[in-house]
Amino acid sequence: MSKSKSFLASLSAFLLTLIASPAFADYALNFPEPVSPLTSQMYDLHMLTTKIATIIMVIVISIVTYAILKFRKSKGAEADQNFHKSAFGTWSWILVPIIVLGIDLTIAGSATDALKQVEDYSQKNDVTVKVIGSQWKWTYEYMDDDIRVVSNMLSKEEAGDNYLRAVDNPLVLPVNKRIRFLHTASDVLHAWWVPQIVYKKDSIPGYINETWTIIEKEGTYRGQCAEICGTGHAFMPIVVEAVSQDKYDAWLSEKKIAMASAAAEASADKTWTMAELMSRGEQVYNTNCVACHQITGEGVPGVFPALKGGQIATGPVADHLSIVMNGSTKNPVMAAWAGALNDLELAALITYERNAWGNNTGDVVQPTDIKSARK
Amino acid sequence: MSAVIHEDHHHEGPPAGFKRWLYSTNHKDIGTMYLIFALVMLFIGGGMAMIIRAELFMPGVQIVNPDLYNNLLTDHALIMIFGMVMPAAAGMANWMIPMMIGAPDMALPRMNNMSFWLLPAAAILLLSSLLVQFIPGTGVPINTGWTLYPPLSVQTGMGMDLLIFSVHLLGISSIMASINIVTTILNMRAPGMPLMKMPLFVWAWLFTGLLLIIVMPVLAGGVTMLLFDRHFGTSFFDAAGGGDPVLFQHLFWFFGHPEVYVLLLPSIGVLGLVIPTFSRKPLFGYKPLVFFMGFLFALGLVVWAHHQYTIGMSLGATMYFMIGTILISIPVGLMLFNFIFTMWRGSMTFETPMLFAIAIILMFSFAGVTGVMLAVVPADLQYHDTYFVVAHFHYALIPGAVFGLYAGVFYWLPKWTGHMYNEKLGKIFFWWTTLSFNLTFFPQHFSGLAGMPRRIVDYNIQYIEFNQISSIGGFLFGLSHLLFLYIIIKTVKGGEKAADKPWEGAQIGTPGLEWTLPSPPPFHSFTTPPQIK
Amino acid sequence: MSTAEQNYFIPEPSRWPAVAVVGLFFLVLGFALWMNGVSLGPVSTGIGLLVIIYLFFGWFGDVIDESLTSKYNHDVDRSFRQGMFWFITSEVSFFATFFGCLFYFRNISLPWLGGEGQLGVSNILWEGFTYTWPLINLPDVTNYTQLIEPMGAGGIPAYNTIILLSSGVTVTWAHWGLKKGNRAQLVWGLIATIALGMLFFALQAYEYYHAYAELGLTLNSGIYGSTFYMLTGFHGFHVTMGTIMLMVICARSMKGHFTAENHFAFEGVAWYWHFVDVVWLGLYLFVYWL
């Protein structure tokens, strides 16, 4: 059997096994089902170009296979030295580019409509969410309702099979409403992407990119950060919970009450005990700080400084406060937390860091201390 | 001096010892050094790929930590592009172009040597940028991917500075090599060799050289701005100071997209020689192929932003880049059309270079059609930064560039060494690489569509099958290169004596001056210009 | 002088390329270490610089010897010219990059931050920011220094424009002298060009001092300062290189190295000088004036 023939034979056998293999039966070979008008259009475009691509590949493979089989020296084929001077050799250089151009324009033309819709920001939006990417979590700000949700990855134990695709606080959105996303980032580039409901636009620090969607079906939709953002890039999943308008309204009012009481608690001039601050601090730490400084407080040598026994957490309280609130002057990865956390959270966090992991400095920082440090 | 090696030259043979290589002004020796360097880098960059595939074999973080993983995939790309494909193509240019156009050597032989020796220096800096992360206190490793996008690249530590200066040295090297090659082609052709008679490989390198001269300084400018943002307080890529991180992406891809053609064109040039040789008939369209290469050259300079559809451009700009990008299918499609109809009504035999050439036609067509899919903006807003893209560009670059270089190696190995390689081993190598390559990268299209982003160290369990197939394919693909190394060493050491013109069809449709020289050619060839019939 | 060689000149094995690589390697390694506060950095940079100075004397010396012993025939001369042409092409591309960035900031990204165009909604992140050029009020000045006053187009920049333009004239006048075989005109033309180049350099240095000390215009004063120094700085660096090259050429002219037919080195430097001139015109127009 000829080599080239066996090449094609094995290639097609490979493709067939791949597609037919039961191992893949559970998992999609294609995009997950789109559930918004725009992602549906994108899906259709994808299927159109896939079909064109398949047809072109079939044609190319057929011609090449025929040529390989027919025009081989071992079969006594003589080379036609003047083939390129034939009529085909002259006219094909005009005809083939025209055909290719025709296919190109067909594809480009069919994409224009979807593209115009992607870029159509003139319609009225029912919900506007500002999506802020940070290393390595997502923050959602509901612009009309003044609600803020911080979304962190769930650990392997909590998430099970959805590990790397599951979060503690999902983004809750109503179905059948036009939703506008404003994408930005607090530190480096990120990209917020949930393939079933919304395509991606980069989150650029200092700039705002827009996307929009109308979710057509209730459900849980998952995605991941799609733009490399450093150490934790693989660990900032996205979950959107699409619910009916009623459930959404209920969730909104519940959230508002919770936020108001948290704010009231934080701003009250109460003096907290160390034990209270420690338990709250641990929560804050595990949500916001573990990605770099680790659960053990030991950090990553040479990259993220250790808090356990380190200069920051055992040195002067004022320096500790300053670096947590304003970020590091030396290492840009250490963000400023003054805006993201309230007085109570900051006080609890710093108290926790100064007393956990055997640091035991005995220092207690109160929300009032933070309030005065903010001035 | 001692023995006269060849009658038509008046210099001595090669000088002895290290000076032959370190001080060389000989295009063949410099070409050999380029090729050896590329081979070494192939194994270093390939080793990194093996670590990456091993890490991805199972979900979870097992072998390397996330930063080291990101650093390895950054360096894998940089080494394969700047350390492997470009030097290998430059090595072939050095060896073959003077012989093909009947020149005594490259136009500026000393500068030629400097272009080469800058590469090991740059490689030392590049590898130290990887290793410096193991020294405490040197900051965050380079975890940005080869695109080095700020602000992430402003966060990284000392490794990034070493990398930036490594890129500067690589840039100087490429610009000097390109100036040299372009000057050689335009000024050193033997009488009777007009531009439109040059072998296609020479044409391909003329366009490649011009591209590098234009785009390399842009990359140098971009990384210099990065350096200033990192250390001297400028605000090019920081919105707070009035800058824009996206500007770096424009600069990078203004370089990066033509760079893709820098990698592809030399291989297209090799195909332009290999396919007529083994089809025993002239190219179906020599002039059109030159024209479409020029078209690709021009188009390549103005479509860069299709790598960044997601940054938020205006509708007009997006439409322009989309249509420009889709139009690339015309020159590329016509090149492949040309090769297919060069085989048509030919008298084909299937030696290793020809097998690679046919595989390239098929697999590069595939990369081309997925390329058109990616060019469609609304669909790309879904494909962007997923494994679908990873699969696409590996299909473009491994068949398009690397396999073309393999074809060139097997095609010219008899000329370079004076020995025939072992055809049977060559064919085994072909089948092994081609099949394992497809096994590695074909499944990645599906993991991408299923939603797996690129550059992640750990993935959800739903992607496990595709990744395991990919990893197994990857290991086989990596392993096949040991056979490649064995074939080359065996051929250099000995073997059947190669004729001056080992391929029956080698001179069909080209002047074929290189085949009029003995195999291996004398140390100095064509010291007086040859007569072209 | 003997007649030029028939064959294309292929130099014997030469140590200079390797020396150049060693010099460059230590230079940039030193930079990278220096920027990260490693004490060996400046040492490495120093070694690199010394090696490069040694290299210039050695490599240029060899080339001058070869040129004087008529090793270069017409083809070699043309290779040099073409090589120089492509080198200047790459330099054009390098400066075009920085000009492109300037246009991008002024016409695309800063208007976005100011609330216009595709990403205009970004303005909500920067309350109260309005776009003006020169950009005096930054979106957020916390990490930057406040610019007091932008650089005007009159005064020193205008004088510098006249100085560089006249230096273009003097170098051409020197070239005419060379073609006529008038060595005095050649040498005096070059000396005038060098003097103008040095005057330009001195004025530019004073302008930088003035900008830092009085205008608050620094590398750290936001995008206006960044682009200003990046463009004028790289231009100034090229003027310095050009002046040094002119000095070499001037010394060689005094020794009578050039003839009316054979003077590639002179022409290469003259091209380079004209290129630097043209870049300045662009700078004056887009950085200082408009």
Side-chain angles (χ1 to χ4, degrees), chain B residues 475-492:
Chain B
F475 298 142
L476 290 173
F477 189 50
L479 209 57
S480 72
H481 289 81
L482 295 177
L483 176 61
F484 183 55
L485 188 65
Y486 172 75
I487 296 173
I488 291 176
I489 292 175
K490 203 167 163 251
T491 314
V492 171

PDB file of all heavy atoms in Angstrom, chain B residues 475-492:
ATOM      1  N   PHE B 475       3.726  13.909  23.846  1.00  0.00           N
ATOM      2  CA  PHE B 475       4.931  13.151  24.212  1.00  0.00           C
ATOM      3  C   PHE B 475       5.471  12.400  23.003  1.00  0.00           C
ATOM      4  O   PHE B 475       6.683  12.351  22.771  1.00  0.00           O
ATOM      5  CB  PHE B 475       4.626  12.169  25.344  1.00  0.00           C
ATOM      6  CG  PHE B 475       4.176  12.851  26.610  1.00  0.00           C
ATOM      7  CD1 PHE B 475       3.189  12.298  27.402  1.00  0.00           C
ATOM      8  CD2 PHE B 475       4.735  14.065  26.999  1.00  0.00           C
ATOM      9  CE1 PHE B 475       2.769  12.943  28.562  1.00  0.00           C
ATOM     10  CE2 PHE B 475       4.324  14.710  28.153  1.00  0.00           C
ATOM     11  CZ  PHE B 475       3.331  14.145  28.935  1.00  0.00           C
ATOM     12  N   LEU B 476       4.567  11.796  22.210  1.00  0.00           N
ATOM     13  CA  LEU B 476       5.018  11.063  21.020  1.00  0.00           C
ATOM     14  C   LEU B 476       5.692  12.014  20.045  1.00  0.00           C
ATOM     15  O   LEU B 476       6.740  11.702  19.456  1.00  0.00           O
ATOM     16  CB  LEU B 476       3.828  10.383  20.332  1.00  0.00           C
ATOM     17  CG  LEU B 476       3.224   9.207  21.097  1.00  0.00           C
ATOM     18  CD1 LEU B 476       1.955   8.743  20.406  1.00  0.00           C
ATOM     19  CD2 LEU B 476       4.224   8.070  21.170  1.00  0.00           C
ATOM     20  N   PHE B 477       5.083  13.198  19.892  1.00  0.00           N
ATOM     21  CA  PHE B 477       5.634  14.203  18.980  1.00  0.00           C
ATOM     22  C   PHE B 477       7.029  14.613  19.446  1.00  0.00           C
ATOM     23  O   PHE B 477       7.972  14.691  18.660  1.00  0.00           O
ATOM     24  CB  PHE B 477       4.691  15.413  18.952  1.00  0.00           C
ATOM     25  CG  PHE B 477       5.015  16.441  17.910  1.00  0.00           C
ATOM     26  CD1 PHE B 477       5.236  16.074  16.591  1.00  0.00           C
ATOM     27  CD2 PHE B 477       5.092  17.787  18.237  1.00  0.00           C
ATOM     28  CE1 PHE B 477       5.516  17.032  15.627  1.00  0.00           C
ATOM     29  CE2 PHE B 477       5.374  18.743  17.284  1.00  0.00           C
ATOM     30  CZ  PHE B 477       5.587  18.364  15.975  1.00  0.00           C
ATOM     31  N   GLY B 478       7.157  14.824  20.750  1.00  0.00           N
ATOM     32  CA  GLY B 478       8.466  15.203  21.286  1.00  0.00           C
ATOM     33  C   GLY B 478       9.486  14.106  21.045  1.00  0.00           C
ATOM     34  O   GLY B 478      10.606  14.355  20.587  1.00  0.00           O
ATOM     35  N   LEU B 479       9.061  12.874  21.318  1.00  0.00           N
ATOM     36  CA  LEU B 479       9.963  11.734  21.193  1.00  0.00           C
ATOM     37  C   LEU B 479      10.463  11.570  19.762  1.00  0.00           C
ATOM     38  O   LEU B 479      11.622  11.206  19.525  1.00  0.00           O
ATOM     39  CB  LEU B 479       9.195  10.477  21.633  1.00  0.00           C
ATOM     40  CG  LEU B 479       9.992   9.333  22.227  1.00  0.00           C
ATOM     41  CD1 LEU B 479      10.777   9.829  23.433  1.00  0.00           C
ATOM     42  CD2 LEU B 479       9.028   8.223  22.666  1.00  0.00           C
ATOM     43  N   SER B 480       9.607  11.871  18.792  1.00  0.00           N
ATOM     44  CA  SER B 480       9.981  11.656  17.400  1.00  0.00           C
ATOM     45  C   SER B 480      11.220  12.470  17.039  1.00  0.00           C
ATOM     46  O   SER B 480      11.958  12.116  16.127  1.00  0.00           O
ATOM     47  CB  SER B 480       8.816  12.038  16.481  1.00  0.00           C
ATOM     48  OG  SER B 480       8.659  13.436  16.442  1.00  0.00           O
ATOM     49  N   HIS B 481      11.469  13.544  17.777  1.00  0.00           N
ATOM     50  CA  HIS B 481      12.600  14.394  17.424  1.00  0.00           C
ATOM     51  C   HIS B 481      13.938  13.784  17.791  1.00  0.00           C
ATOM     52  O   HIS B 481      14.973  14.198  17.288  1.00  0.00           O
ATOM     53  CB  HIS B 481      12.413  15.781  18.018  1.00  0.00           C
ATOM     54  CG  HIS B 481      11.319  16.517  17.308  1.00  0.00           C
ATOM     55  ND1 HIS B 481       9.984  16.314  17.592  1.00  0.00           N
ATOM     56  CD2 HIS B 481      11.363  17.381  16.280  1.00  0.00           C
ATOM     57  CE1 HIS B 481       9.261  17.046  16.772  1.00  0.00           C
ATOM     58  NE2 HIS B 481      10.063  17.695  15.968  1.00  0.00           N
ATOM     59  N   LEU B 482      13.921  12.767  18.668  1.00  0.00           N
ATOM     60  CA  LEU B 482      15.160  12.051  18.922  1.00  0.00           C
ATOM     61  C   LEU B 482      15.570  11.314  17.648  1.00  0.00           C
ATOM     62  O   LEU B 482      16.752  11.243  17.301  1.00  0.00           O
ATOM     63  CB  LEU B 482      14.980  11.074  20.081  1.00  0.00           C
ATOM     64  CG  LEU B 482      14.701  11.744  21.429  1.00  0.00           C
ATOM     65  CD1 LEU B 482      14.475  10.701  22.509  1.00  0.00           C
ATOM     66  CD2 LEU B 482      15.849  12.662  21.807  1.00  0.00           C
ATOM     67  N   LEU B 483      14.573  10.778  16.938  1.00  0.00           N
ATOM     68  CA  LEU B 483      14.860  10.106  15.671  1.00  0.00           C
ATOM     69  C   LEU B 483      15.418  11.103  14.666  1.00  0.00           C
ATOM     70  O   LEU B 483      16.373  10.818  13.938  1.00  0.00           O
ATOM     71  CB  LEU B 483      13.580   9.448  15.133  1.00  0.00           C
ATOM     72  CG  LEU B 483      13.713   8.774  13.757  1.00  0.00           C
ATOM     73  CD1 LEU B 483      14.743   7.648  13.813  1.00  0.00           C
ATOM     74  CD2 LEU B 483      12.371   8.231  13.294  1.00  0.00           C
ATOM     75  N   PHE B 484      14.828  12.307  14.668  1.00  0.00           N
ATOM     76  CA  PHE B 484      15.301  13.371  13.773  1.00  0.00           C
ATOM     77  C   PHE B 484      16.782  13.646  14.028  1.00  0.00           C
ATOM     78  O   PHE B 484      17.604  13.689  13.099  1.00  0.00           O
ATOM     79  CB  PHE B 484      14.457  14.626  14.036  1.00  0.00           C
ATOM     80  CG  PHE B 484      14.751  15.804  13.156  1.00  0.00           C
ATOM     81  CD1 PHE B 484      14.710  15.702  11.776  1.00  0.00           C
ATOM     82  CD2 PHE B 484      15.062  17.037  13.718  1.00  0.00           C
ATOM     83  CE1 PHE B 484      14.959  16.801  10.969  1.00  0.00           C
ATOM     84  CE2 PHE B 484      15.312  18.139  12.916  1.00  0.00           C
ATOM     85  CZ  PHE B 484      15.261  18.013  11.545  1.00  0.00           C
ATOM     86  N   LEU B 485      17.112  13.793  15.304  1.00  0.00           N
ATOM     87  CA  LEU B 485      18.499  14.062  15.689  1.00  0.00           C
ATOM     88  C   LEU B 485      19.403  12.926  15.225  1.00  0.00           C
ATOM     89  O   LEU B 485      20.480  13.145  14.658  1.00  0.00           O
ATOM     90  CB  LEU B 485      18.563  14.215  17.207  1.00  0.00           C
ATOM     91  CG  LEU B 485      19.886  14.695  17.786  1.00  0.00           C
ATOM     92  CD1 LEU B 485      20.171  16.105  17.311  1.00  0.00           C
ATOM     93  CD2 LEU B 485      19.833  14.657  19.314  1.00  0.00           C
ATOM     94  N   TYR B 486      18.934  11.689  15.428  1.00  0.00           N
ATOM     95  CA  TYR B 486      19.728  10.527  15.046  1.00  0.00           C
ATOM     96  C   TYR B 486      19.976  10.524  13.539  1.00  0.00           C
ATOM     97  O   TYR B 486      21.099  10.313  13.080  1.00  0.00           O
ATOM     98  CB  TYR B 486      18.991   9.257  15.489  1.00  0.00           C
ATOM     99  CG  TYR B 486      19.632   7.980  14.981  1.00  0.00           C
ATOM    100  CD1 TYR B 486      20.808   7.507  15.561  1.00  0.00           C
ATOM    101  CD2 TYR B 486      19.070   7.272  13.924  1.00  0.00           C
ATOM    102  CE1 TYR B 486      21.408   6.362  15.096  1.00  0.00           C
ATOM    103  CE2 TYR B 486      19.657   6.104  13.448  1.00  0.00           C
ATOM    104  CZ  TYR B 486      20.839   5.657  14.040  1.00  0.00           C
ATOM    105  OH  TYR B 486      21.426   4.525  13.571  1.00  0.00           O
ATOM    106  N   ILE B 487      18.927  10.817  12.765  1.00  0.00           N
ATOM    107  CA  ILE B 487      19.080  10.816  11.302  1.00  0.00           C
ATOM    108  C   ILE B 487      20.120  11.847  10.896  1.00  0.00           C
ATOM    109  O   ILE B 487      20.997  11.581  10.063  1.00  0.00           O
ATOM    110  CB  ILE B 487      17.734  11.130  10.613  1.00  0.00           C
ATOM    111  CG1 ILE B 487      16.717  10.044  10.908  1.00  0.00           C
ATOM    112  CG2 ILE B 487      17.925  11.268   9.097  1.00  0.00           C
ATOM    113  CD1 ILE B 487      15.312  10.372  10.403  1.00  0.00           C
ATOM    114  N   ILE B 488      20.045  13.030  11.493  1.00  0.00           N
ATOM    115  CA  ILE B 488      20.967  14.093  11.093  1.00  0.00           C
ATOM    116  C   ILE B 488      22.395  13.713  11.444  1.00  0.00           C
ATOM    117  O   ILE B 488      23.303  13.807  10.613  1.00  0.00           O
ATOM    118  CB  ILE B 488      20.561  15.425  11.771  1.00  0.00           C
ATOM    119  CG1 ILE B 488      19.244  15.915  11.162  1.00  0.00           C
ATOM    120  CG2 ILE B 488      21.639  16.467  11.584  1.00  0.00           C
ATOM    121  CD1 ILE B 488      18.705  17.143  11.805  1.00  0.00           C
ATOM    122  N   ILE B 489      22.610  13.249  12.682  1.00  0.00           N
ATOM    123  CA  ILE B 489      23.979  12.906  13.090  1.00  0.00           C
ATOM    124  C   ILE B 489      24.524  11.803  12.201  1.00  0.00           C
ATOM    125  O   ILE B 489      25.660  11.853  11.729  1.00  0.00           O
ATOM    126  CB  ILE B 489      23.990  12.482  14.581  1.00  0.00           C
ATOM    127  CG1 ILE B 489      23.666  13.704  15.444  1.00  0.00           C
ATOM    128  CG2 ILE B 489      25.344  11.903  14.964  1.00  0.00           C
ATOM    129  CD1 ILE B 489      23.534  13.399  16.914  1.00  0.00           C
ATOM    130  N   LYS B 490      23.675  10.818  11.916  1.00  0.00           N
ATOM    131  CA  LYS B 490      24.105   9.693  11.077  1.00  0.00           C
ATOM    132  C   LYS B 490      24.495  10.194   9.679  1.00  0.00           C
ATOM    133  O   LYS B 490      25.507   9.769   9.115  1.00  0.00           O
ATOM    134  CB  LYS B 490      22.951   8.692  10.975  1.00  0.00           C
ATOM    135  CG  LYS B 490      23.406   7.304  10.630  1.00  0.00           C
ATOM    136  CD  LYS B 490      22.294   6.313  10.851  1.00  0.00           C
ATOM    137  CE  LYS B 490      22.632   5.051  10.127  1.00  0.00           C
ATOM    138  NZ  LYS B 490      21.925   4.693   8.972  1.00  0.00           N
ATOM    139  N   THR B 491      23.715  11.125   9.147  1.00  0.00           N
ATOM    140  CA  THR B 491      23.992  11.613   7.804  1.00  0.00           C
ATOM    141  C   THR B 491      25.262  12.460   7.774  1.00  0.00           C
ATOM    142  O   THR B 491      26.049  12.389   6.837  1.00  0.00           O
ATOM    143  CB  THR B 491      22.806  12.451   7.288  1.00  0.00           C
ATOM    144  OG1 THR B 491      21.612  11.748   7.561  1.00  0.00           O
ATOM    145  CG2 THR B 491      22.928  12.713   5.804  1.00  0.00           C
ATOM    146  N   VAL B 492      25.455  13.263   8.829  1.00  0.00           N
ATOM    147  CA  VAL B 492      26.669  14.079   8.871  1.00  0.00           C
ATOM    148  C   VAL B 492      27.883  13.173   8.933  1.00  0.00           C
ATOM    149  O   VAL B 492      28.903  13.404   8.275  1.00  0.00           O
ATOM    150  CB  VAL B 492      26.623  15.038  10.092  1.00  0.00           C
ATOM    151  CG1 VAL B 492      27.959  15.726  10.274  1.00  0.00           C
ATOM    152  CG2 VAL B 492      25.511  16.056   9.911  1.00  0.00           C
TER     153      VAL B 492
END
